[in-house]
């Protein structure tokens, strides 16, 4: 069964204090690994898709990396507006398409 | 370009009632997926529709059903509501199967 585990569950950072969020997964045939950001009262907002081990993507202060067993979301010099829940999801090869299996998320709080 | 629109935003029902939630995808998107989000279980896949056909279904009882119309708009229905159905129901659309998902803000359902 496809599984996604995110750690830590919650993370408190001071503004400017860089850190990483982890997403480990087991899936039968990875089609893609997705990172989303979710703010309170809103739906998840797409950040990145990674398809193969070794791939990296960056957007502003965020950088996502992928290995065969896990993905990291690196946050460099975070700001208070980066506070949100960060969700990782995997999509497995399937003739039936677009099902994503989500992790429980990491709640990030950045204090000024 | 308008995002994914879900209505209503909030809904309060009592046990045993049924409810219908609506989702309008981003213009041009033909794939619509539904997810249930609760604090305990996180985001769980309900079902996915593409071109009016259900492509995939999650592990939910038959009380949960959905459909997609020719204009790609989708509805999901929950019959005989139970207290445990209280959750945020999220709709997501994508251009095609396997593409990144764009989520709406969700419908917060409370069952009393």
């Amino acid at each position: 069964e496809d599984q996604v585990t995110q750690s830590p569950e919650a993370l408190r950072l001071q503004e400017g204090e860089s850190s990483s969020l982890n997403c480990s997964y087991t899936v039968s045939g990875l089609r893609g690994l997705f990172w989303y950001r979710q703010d309170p009262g809103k739906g998840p907002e797409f950040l990145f898709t990674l398809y193969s081990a070794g791939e990296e993507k960056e957007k502003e202060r965020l950088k996502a990396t992928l290995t065969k067993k896990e993905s990291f979301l690196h946050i460099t010099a975070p700001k208070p507006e980066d506070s949100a829940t960060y969700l990782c999801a995997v999509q497995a090869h399937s003739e039936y398409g677009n099902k994503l299996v989500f992790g429980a998320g990491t709640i990030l709080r950045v204090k000024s | 370009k308008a995002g994914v629109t879900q209505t209503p935003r909030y809904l309060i029902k009592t046990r045993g009632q049924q409810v219908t939630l609506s989702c309008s995808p981003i213009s041009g998107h033909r794939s619509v997926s539904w997810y249930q989000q609760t604090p305990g279980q996180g985001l769980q896949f309900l079902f996915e529709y593409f071109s009016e056909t259900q492509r995939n279904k999650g592990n939910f009882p038959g009380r949960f059903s959905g459909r997609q119309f020719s204009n790609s708009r989708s509805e999901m229905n929950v019959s005989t509501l139970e207290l445990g159905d209280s959750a945020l129901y999220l709709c997501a659309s994508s251009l095609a199967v396997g593409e990144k998902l764009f989520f709406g803000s969700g419908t917060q359902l409370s069952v009393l």
Side-chain angles (χ1 to χ4, degrees):
Chain A
E1 187 178 334
D2 303 331
Q3 252 186 331
V4 178
T5 303
Q6 291 188 246
S7 62
E9 290 183 13
L11 183 62
R12 290 189 176 189
L13 299 174
Q14 286 295 126
E15 184 173 3
E17 179 187 3
S18 301
S19 188
S20 297
L21 313 183
N22 177 263
C23 170
S24 61
Y25 62 91
T26 54
V27 63
S28 51
L30 181 69
R31 185 172 181 175
L33 185 141
F34 298 77
W35 281 98
Y36 284 86
R37 168 196 170 124
Q38 187 174 24
D39 294 297
K42 295 187 176 182
E45 176 187 347
F46 172 80
L47 292 173
F48 304 108
T49 309
L50 302 166
Y51 293 102
S52 57
E55 189 175 359
E56 299 182 352
K57 288 193 177 174
E58 284 188 73
K59 178 182 178 180
E60 296 180 355
R61 294 177 293 282
L62 300 177
K63 178 180 177 181
T65 62
L66 181 66
T67 72
K68 287 186 177 180
K69 293 183 178 180
E70 58 190 351
S71 177
F72 291 93
L73 184 66
H74 307 279
I75 304 176
T76 302
K79 298 182 178 181
E81 53 261 42
D82 294 322
S83 297
T85 297
Y86 290 85
L87 297 163
C88 170
V90 295
Q91 183 179 55
H93 280 286
S94 168
E95 63 179 303
Y96 299 114
N98 216 12
K99 171 183 175 179
L100 290 182
V101 177
F102 280 85
T106 293
I107 302 171
L108 174 65
R109 291 290 174 261
V110 182
K111 287 191 170 184
S112 58
Chain B
K1 199 172 188 181
V4 177
T5 304
Q6 291 189 247
T7 56
R9 186 71 179 90
Y10 300 96
L11 206 49
I12 299 175
K13 293 286 187 179
T14 57
R15 281 181 300 172
Q17 287 186 309
Q18 75 166 20
V19 66
T20 299
L21 311 181
S22 180
C23 172
S24 293
I26 292 172
S27 177
H29 285 195
R30 296 171 62 190
S31 177
V32 174
S33 304
W34 289 88
Y35 288 80
Q36 181 196 66
Q37 187 174 31
T38 59
Q41 299 296 319
L43 271 152
Q44 292 188 292
F45 174 76
L46 280 158
F47 27 65
E48 180 200 12
Y49 288 87
F50 183 79
S51 294
E52 301 178 68
T53 301
Q54 187 178 90
R55 292 292 303 269
N56 204 353
K57 191 177 189 306
N59 297 323
F60 279 82
R63 300 185 296 106
F64 292 81
S65 63
R67 59 178 177 169
Q68 187 181 32
F69 303 96
S70 59
N71 61 359
S72 293
R73 193 177 68 84
S74 178
E75 289 181 347
M76 69 162 281
N77 183 277
V78 187
S79 63
T80 320
L81 285 165
E82 300 178 359
L83 296 178
D85 296 333
S86 295
L88 179 66
Y89 289 88
L90 291 161
C91 169
S93 73
S94 61
L95 274 171
V97 169
E99 296 292 322
K100 63 187 178 186
L101 298 181
F102 292 84
F103 284 85
S105 293
T107 294
Q108 184 66 54
L109 172 65
S110 298
V111 182
L112 306 179

